[in-house]
Amino acid sequence: MAGDLVLLSPLDGWAAPLSEVPDPVFAQAMLGDGLAVDPTGSTLHAPCDGVIVSVHASKHAVSLRAAGGVEILMHIGLETVALKGEGFTAHVADGQAVSAGAPLISFDLDLLARHAKSLITPIVITGAGGRVIASRLTGASVKVGEPLLTLSCGGKIVADAVATGPELSRAIIIPLIHGLHARPAARLADTAKRFQAEIAVVALNRRANAKSPIGVMSLGLRHGDAASLVASGLDAAAALEAVAELIEGGMGEGAPIIEPAAPGPAKPSQSARPGVAVLRGVMASPGLAVGKAVRLFVDEIVVPELGQGAQPEMAALNSALDAVRARIAGEALASGSPARKAILGAHAAFLEDPELADQAHRLIGEGKSAAYAWRAAIGAYVEALRGLGDRRIAERVDDLLDLERRVLLAINGQEDRGPELPLDAILLAEELLPSQLMGLDPSRLAGICTAGGGPTSHVAILAASMGIPAVVAAGPGVAQVRAGTSLILDADAGLLHLAPDARALAAAQTALATRAERRIAARAAAREECRMADGTRIKVFANLGSQADADAAVHAGAEGCGLLRTEFLFLERESAPTEDEQAEDYAAVARGLGGRPLIIRLLDVGGDKTASYLPIAPEENPALGLRGVRVLLRRPHVLKTQLRAILRGAPHAKIMAPMVIGLSELRAVRLVLDEARKELGRAGRTDLGVMIETPAAAMIADLLAAEADFLSIGTNDLTQYTLAMDRGNPDLAGDIDALHPGVLRLIAQTTDGAAKHALWTGVCGGLAGDLAAVPILLGLGVSELSMPSAAIPEAKAMIRTLSPEACRGLAVQALAQPSADAVRALSNTFLTGDA
């Protein structure tokens, strides 16, 4: 038919209806009607003659305007904007005329298959120019150049009404991490079309109709770019507000704006945009810091592949290994920190791994350089550990990468130097290696924030032992912060505030000074018994992982140990500790506590903690598989050996079973405990408690309390299981908060269940050391708190000011709040006395 426009297939592949695209923006035709091709080829071609309107900055999408004003969007794969151009090669540019069949974009099909949500490529008519789709080919194989879709004239085009009234404008900054690509452009157009007003997006002297998704995309606006919205018509003000709110809300893709974009129209003040200048991560070490940004983003060490002969390369590697061994030994000798010594000891053990050395020597024998061989040998282990799907083991990868770096620097004859720190430096890094942190001057280091990393990594442990506030897993925005930027690091909240104004800086400095004064006073009274204002006794204990921790806890004022993690005896070794070894270590911890109460948690492996000699078959979701008491009951010899060792080394200790969800597990552990006592000729009874770490355990707390001797709530696991959020997932880090009302209600149910049988309830998870949580926990009926040693002085000082009645009132209000943020605000108001 005359006037028809036939679009040819731009790809080899399988033609499918647009409704089969697994993305609602395309499937629901929000951008326009069309179809899709699941490609088997790797080059996108022009479907007709036309002019290129725009090639997206990430090269994953291209728009073409054909005769009669028809506009066609071709979007290669789904969520490919996140690849930022990797794997794509553009053969055309904006404004270029092309003929049907001309190559537009080539792409790496294998790379996209690995990283994209889907390879399926929508072909969408975003502007039909008055035409309608008369026919389309779907459910069939197609080749480049074959007819795919026909557009026919369907009636006259009605001209848009001329807008009247003054033109209103509003300045914006694009907060979407991938800019205004296809999906947000479609949502923007959908919102704009709800109004009669004409509304446009203006940037860099170009103007696009906000009702045209392809026009908006053609502006190429990226994250942080400045633009203006302009509108005119009867409902211009409402349209302007709705579109601005949609863009500024981020549409689910918002990311912090660190720096304004290059000069353009009307850049707004960032301070007027709530939340823009804040990065959110996970607390690795508590505290508050104010300082200037110091960047530590090091380039990868370049190594030659080929060596200069086996003998000199072998000598170079051995010399470097000896040098690093000597440095590690010297650092361990000079260190007074138990945590630092333990980490250095692990590094020294890694260096002695015979398989690591053998692999490097083999590669040198094949003609590789010493540096290349060492990197390849380490790399094989790194990939193996990452492939286990075990978060805690994956965090140990940093230790291997640290050794890789130190040995490579020694091979190259380079010094292992960190940055020169000014006073009050807040260090920013992609990830920080243990030796890098140990090489810094702690007197000048105010805080740490990393883009990656985890809260149980060795760097997190080191930072906590050094008393340095640290936030990890804060995301890619960390790399965008300029050196010298003023920062406030609120590690307790997992927040990094960027370029705060003078008022915020003054408030933070005041808070720091107040905290310092409070800490001095708290430490002076830390060893006194802890009682509330009316004399109610509250036990404040410490969480421990070694004898050294016990010494530090007593010094900090701990009244006992509410959680001895026995994993320190079992992990990072090739065989299980013997009964004698365990008994000696438990006795050493008991001696370190000087007769104070001691609660020992039975071995808690599985999930994110594994031991090679206790193999657990691969699990799709380890957190929901074999862990805690489930592992012990399947290996009764391990359980019996540990119980005997506890009875011998710390006969007065209480014992706690992890991850119990039912009475049958408690009874089974009790049976083995009684057998162990009988074998050792011990009369009487050993207290056996239960860790409440799952919603199931909390909901049957009254049943468990009928046979247990005490209950202790592990809020870390209880929170992740209640909220269905992995606490090690950086993408969820900002949403995980144990003060969520759902978690608090389970804590209340636990204390109520224990009270029915006159049992006490403790909390030994991270929430116990959270000062905002303490009055709520006490109000819910918790009478024992076990926390990191560093938190004890301030916690005891605060508890002494609280009354049981006020805490109970606060707890009742907290249970009725809609969110964790609301609970925190409520508690902060309670503690500060602000109305």
Side-chain angles (χ1 to χ4, degrees), residues 173-174 204 222-227 257-264 267 270:
I173 290 180
I174 307 301
L204 300 174
R222 304 183 185 184
H223 177 252
D225 282 353
I257 298 173
I258 315 307
E259 305 172 19
K267 296 183 183 179
Q270 290 189 32

Side-chain angles (χ1 to χ4, degrees), residues 188-490:
L188 175 59
D190 186 58
T191 299
K193 288 173 183 175
R194 298 173 192 169
F195 299 90
Q196 294 181 7
E198 286 190 354
I199 183 164
V201 184
V202 181
L204 300 174
N205 298 317
R206 297 172 62 192
R207 184 182 182 113
N209 183 351
K211 299 178 183 180
S212 166
I214 201 164
V216 172
M217 287 175 59
S218 70
L219 293 175
L221 288 171
R222 304 183 185 184
H223 177 252
D225 282 353
S228 292
L229 299 175
V230 294
S232 59
L234 295 177
D235 54 0
L240 197 67
E241 181 65 27
V243 172
E245 184 177 341
L246 179 69
I247 295 174
E248 292 177 346
M251 299 187 235
E253 300 181 16
I257 298 173
I258 315 307
E259 305 172 19
K267 296 183 183 179
S269 166
Q270 290 189 32
S271 62
R273 300 172 51 80
V276 158
V278 176
L279 298 179
R280 177 168 288 207
V282 180
M283 182 190 77
S285 175
L288 177 70
V290 177
K292 298 285 188 179
V294 175
R295 294 167 51 88
L296 181 59
F297 292 85
V298 295
D299 295 329
E300 183 176 351
I301 300 171
V302 178
V303 302
E305 180 175 355
L306 299 180
Q308 302 297 315
Q311 188 171 352
E313 296 296 338
M314 201 76 77
L317 177 59
N318 292 337
S319 175
L321 290 172
D322 288 342
V324 175
R325 281 191 195 98
R327 286 179 195 146
I328 289 175
E331 290 165 1
L333 191 63
S335 174
S337 163
R340 184 177 294 204
K341 284 184 176 179
I343 292 167
L344 289 169
H347 285 199
F350 288 154
L351 277 182
E352 302 306 325
D353 188 308
E355 292 188 11
L356 187 60
D358 289 347
Q359 174 71 354
H361 291 160
R362 182 184 65 77
L363 290 168
I364 289 175
E366 294 175 1
K368 307 301 183 184
S369 71
Y372 182 91
W374 180 250
R375 171 169 283 169
I378 288 279
Y381 277 90
V382 166
E383 291 306 312
L385 292 180
R386 283 177 173 160
L388 292 175
D390 182 321
R391 174 172 55 82
R392 189 177 293 263
I393 292 296
E395 287 176 354
R396 299 289 90 83
V397 164
D398 287 350
D399 298 302
L400 289 175
L401 294 176
D402 200 353
L403 286 178
E404 175 196 297
R405 174 180 160 276
R406 299 191 77 173
V407 172
L408 291 181
L409 288 172
I411 290 172
N412 293 341
Q414 296 175 266
E415 288 191 40
D416 188 7
R417 274 189 186 171
E420 292 293 329
L421 297 181
L423 285 173
D424 297 324
I426 295 180
L427 190 69
L428 308 178
E430 179 65 33
E431 295 208 29
L432 195 60
L433 300 175
S435 67
Q436 290 175 317
L437 177 53
M438 287 187 278
L440 297 172
D441 181 356
S443 68
R444 292 178 168 267
L445 185 59
I448 299 166
C449 183
T450 62
T456 60
S457 67
H458 275 160
V459 164
I461 294 168
L462 278 171
S465 71
M466 297 164 71
I468 297 172
V471 170
V472 297
V478 173
Q480 301 175 37
V481 182
R482 288 180 173 177
T485 300
S486 294
L487 302 172
I488 298 173
L489 181 71
D490 185 355

Side-chain angles (χ1 to χ4, degrees), residues 697-828:
M699 288 187 281
I700 62 165
D702 57 333
L703 301 180
L704 294 171
E707 299 188 25
D709 295 303
F710 63 91
L711 304 181
S712 186
I713 303 169
T715 54
N716 298 350
D717 276 322
L718 181 61
T719 301
Q720 76 166 344
Y721 288 128
T722 302
L723 303 184
M725 292 180 179
D726 180 359
R727 54 194 166 103
N729 186 332
D731 292 334
L732 300 175
D735 299 319
I736 299 175
D737 192 333
L739 282 181
H740 188 285
V743 179
L744 294 180
R745 291 185 180 208
L746 289 173
I747 294 173
Q749 195 162 350
T750 301
T751 57
D752 289 346
K756 289 180 182 179
H757 300 277
L759 290 193
W760 60 268
T761 302
V763 172
C764 60
L767 200 62
D770 185 338
L771 294 183
V774 167
I776 297 172
L777 294 175
L778 300 184
L780 292 174
V782 172
S783 59
E784 182 247 50
L785 299 169
S786 191
M787 60 191 68
S789 297
I792 288 174
E794 288 186 72
K796 292 177 81 170
M798 184 182 72
I799 291 168
R800 294 186 184 109
T801 69
L802 303 175
S803 74
E805 183 179 358
C807 289
R808 284 192 290 269
L810 174 65
V812 170
Q813 293 181 64
L815 295 178
Q817 297 304 306
S819 67
D821 287 342
V823 173
R824 286 198 175 276
L826 176 71
S827 181
N828 288 334

Side-chain angles (χ1 to χ4, degrees), residues 7-10 15 35 37 123 135-137 142 146-150:
L7 301 186
L8 309 178
S9 178
L35 44 69
V37 176
I123 300 156
S135 65
R136 69 189 101 192
L137 177 66
V142 292
E146 292 181 356
L148 189 64
L149 182 149
T150 301

Side-chain angles (χ1 to χ4, degrees), residues 482-813:
R482 288 180 173 177
T485 300
S486 294
L487 302 172
I488 298 173
L489 181 71
D490 185 355
D492 298 329
L495 299 176
L496 180 69
H497 299 266
L498 313 174
D501 58 23
R503 183 177 178 182
L505 282 170
Q509 293 286 8
T510 300
L512 272 175
T514 302
R515 284 190 181 197
E517 293 174 2
R518 194 170 60 214
R519 276 196 300 270
I520 292 170
R523 286 171 184 162
R527 299 201 181 194
E528 296 175 12
E529 190 176 73
C530 186
R531 293 184 180 275
M532 298 182 74
D534 71 336
T536 300
R537 180 79 169 96
I538 301 295
K539 299 173 184 175
V540 179
F541 290 174
N543 296 335
L544 307 179
S546 67
Q547 179 187 353
D549 288 349
D551 297 336
V554 170
H555 181 73
E559 300 170 4
C561 168
L563 170 64
L564 175 62
R565 301 182 179 96
T566 57
E567 294 77 48
F568 77 98
L569 284 167
F570 289 81
L571 301 181
E572 296 182 2
R573 54 184 294 161
E574 297 301 318
S575 60
T578 66
E579 183 179 317
D580 287 343
E581 285 180 291
Q582 292 187 57
E584 289 173 8
D585 280 306
Y586 301 143
V589 172
R591 285 194 302 271
L593 288 172
R596 293 171 177 82
L598 170 60
I599 300 176
I600 299 177
R601 181 177 69 186
L602 294 173
L603 176 64
D604 184 12
V605 293
D608 61 357
K609 294 168 283 188
T610 59
S612 60
Y613 52 86
L614 293 175
I616 297 173
E619 298 173 298
E620 185 173 348
N621 192 337
L624 300 180
L626 283 179
R627 61 167 298 189
V629 75
R630 298 171 191 169
V631 176
L632 294 174
L633 293 178
R634 283 165 175 78
R635 292 172 173 80
H637 63 286
V638 176
L639 174 59
K640 173 71 77 67
T641 299
Q642 184 173 27
L643 289 170
R644 285 175 56 93
I646 293 170
L647 292 171
R648 288 173 54 201
H652 302 298
K654 293 177 171 62
I655 296 173
M656 185 160 59
M659 291 301 294
V660 170
I661 62 167
L663 276 171
S664 61
E665 294 166 329
L666 175 60
R667 289 168 178 168
V669 175
R670 170 67 73 185
L671 183 63
V672 181
L673 175 58
D674 289 344
E675 289 175 359
R677 288 191 64 87
K678 185 176 180 181
E679 290 171 3
L680 294 171
R682 303 294 171 84
R685 174 185 173 89
T686 296
D687 281 356
L688 176 63
V690 169
M691 281 197 77
I692 304 298
E693 300 174 273
T694 67
M699 288 187 281
I700 62 165
D702 57 333
L703 301 180
L704 294 171
E707 299 188 25
D709 295 303
F710 63 91
L711 304 181
S712 186
I713 303 169
T715 54
N716 298 350
D717 276 322
L718 181 61
T719 301
Q720 76 166 344
Y721 288 128
T722 302
L723 303 184
M725 292 180 179
D726 180 359
R727 54 194 166 103
N729 186 332
D731 292 334
L732 300 175
D735 299 319
I736 299 175
D737 192 333
L739 282 181
H740 188 285
V743 179
L744 294 180
R745 291 185 180 208
L746 289 173
I747 294 173
Q749 195 162 350
T750 301
T751 57
D752 289 346
K756 289 180 182 179
H757 300 277
L759 290 193
W760 60 268
T761 302
V763 172
C764 60
L767 200 62
D770 185 338
L771 294 183
V774 167
I776 297 172
L777 294 175
L778 300 184
L780 292 174
V782 172
S783 59
E784 182 247 50
L785 299 169
S786 191
M787 60 191 68
S789 297
I792 288 174
E794 288 186 72
K796 292 177 81 170
M798 184 182 72
I799 291 168
R800 294 186 184 109
T801 69
L802 303 175
S803 74
E805 183 179 358
C807 289
R808 284 192 290 269
L810 174 65
V812 170
Q813 293 181 64

